[in-house]
Amino acid sequence: MKKLNCFWTLGLCLVASKLSKALLNIPKLPTIYDPKFIQECVDSHNEFRSKVNPPAADMNVLNWDKELARQAKSWSQQCKFSHNPCTKKRYSCIEGHDFLGENIYLGEIQSTPQQAISFWYNESEHYNFDNMTCSKTCGHYTQIVWANTVTVGCAVSNCPNLLGHSAALFVCNYAPPGNEKNVGPYIKGEPCSMCKRSDCRNNLCYPLTEKATQPRACHLLMLGFIFHRIL
């Protein structure tokens, strides 16, 4: 009996040791508050948006949205390789938000945001911009380059059950959403030529900041003072 107990204890120790090594080998996934993760998600999206072909006349820059990131994290933790049903229902995902756009990617645990976003963007090979047709899958690409979308939030979770081993489920949510039926993702033309009250940088429409509008307001004030003195 003592020998049996010893073998049982030894077996448990070996199993525990293997589990510990396996856990140590799994990369630590970034959180939705990790500055590097956020920057890579935003920069990768904007890089692809800035170089669309044909060029876009109305492509807005994307900015990070914490609420969208929390929504993406909540869904990625479900470890379902399918779209969140709430994104197709009005005001169902996040209070104050209408419909949401969503992209999902399943890959190795070492996958990076840039790899996932590149995978989505590469669907552009199957998209015909002139007649808005797709020969394979294009919905991820068109959401990435949807001009009217201005915010994005992404998250990644470890979902080993989806690949039979450690896997990364990467989710991004977008607002306003894209992929409207019979509508192109953007308007073709000279970059930024259709930007509304915005600044053009790297072929993207940036909203005017307070600093950018202050000189104009100051000039208007001075002109008003001059006219008042003349009259």
Side-chain angles (χ1 to χ4, degrees), residues 11-221:
L12 286 175
C13 289
L14 289 172
V15 170
S17 176
K18 288 183 178 180
L19 285 174
S20 297
K21 288 181 180 179
L23 290 173
L24 287 172
N25 290 331
I26 297 175
K28 186 178 179 181
L29 295 177
T31 71
I32 59 175
Y33 307 105
D34 185 331
K36 290 184 179 179
F37 176 78
I38 294 171
Q39 198 67 49
E40 185 174 353
C41 289
V42 172
D43 287 351
S44 295
H45 275 93
N46 284 327
E47 179 186 356
F48 287 124
R49 288 168 72 87
S50 71
K51 65 180 186 181
V52 290
N53 185 28
D58 61 337
M59 187 67 72
N60 285 303
V61 67
L62 282 191
N63 288 300
W64 187 258
D65 186 291
K66 294 179 182 179
E67 290 296 324
L68 292 178
R70 280 193 279 267
Q71 179 62 46
K73 185 61 180 180
S74 175
W75 182 245
S76 70
Q77 289 177 322
Q78 300 296 315
C79 289
K80 297 177 181 179
F81 190 48
S82 60
H83 287 290
N84 189 337
C86 81
T87 59
K88 302 304 179 184
K89 300 176 183 178
R90 301 200 70 180
Y91 305 104
S92 182
C93 290
I94 303 172
E95 185 178 355
H97 277 278
D98 203 336
F99 299 105
L100 297 182
E102 185 176 68
N103 279 347
I104 56 176
Y105 169 86
L106 180 64
E108 297 294 328
I109 196 70
Q110 296 87 358
S111 300
T112 65
Q114 199 275 337
Q115 288 174 326
I117 297 165
S118 295
F119 180 83
W120 295 333
Y121 183 82
N122 288 339
E123 292 177 357
S124 59
E125 298 174 5
H126 313 300
Y127 186 74
N128 186 311
F129 184 89
D130 292 327
N131 56 26
M132 296 182 292
T133 59
C134 179
S135 59
K136 291 185 179 180
T137 300
C138 304
H140 303 97
Y141 160 71
T142 50
Q143 174 59 84
I144 286 178
V145 299
W146 200 266
N148 290 335
T149 299
V150 294
T151 55
V152 64
C154 305
V156 60
S157 292
N158 182 18
C159 297
N161 59 302
L162 293 178
L163 286 178
H165 54 87
S166 293
L169 182 62
F170 188 71
V171 178
C172 286
N173 284 129
Y174 305 83
N179 296 338
E180 296 177 27
K181 290 183 179 179
N182 303 316
V183 178
Y186 59 87
I187 298 174
K188 179 172 64 174
E190 184 69 23
C192 299
S193 59
M194 294 185 68
C195 293
K196 298 177 181 178
R197 292 186 57 77
S198 59
D199 180 26
C200 182
R201 280 179 270 164
N202 195 29
N203 298 332
L204 299 175
C205 302
Y206 280 73
L208 288 175
T209 61
E210 288 185 10
K211 288 183 179 180
T213 57
Q214 277 178 357
R216 183 181 177 185
C218 198
H219 293 157
L220 289 173
L221 184 62

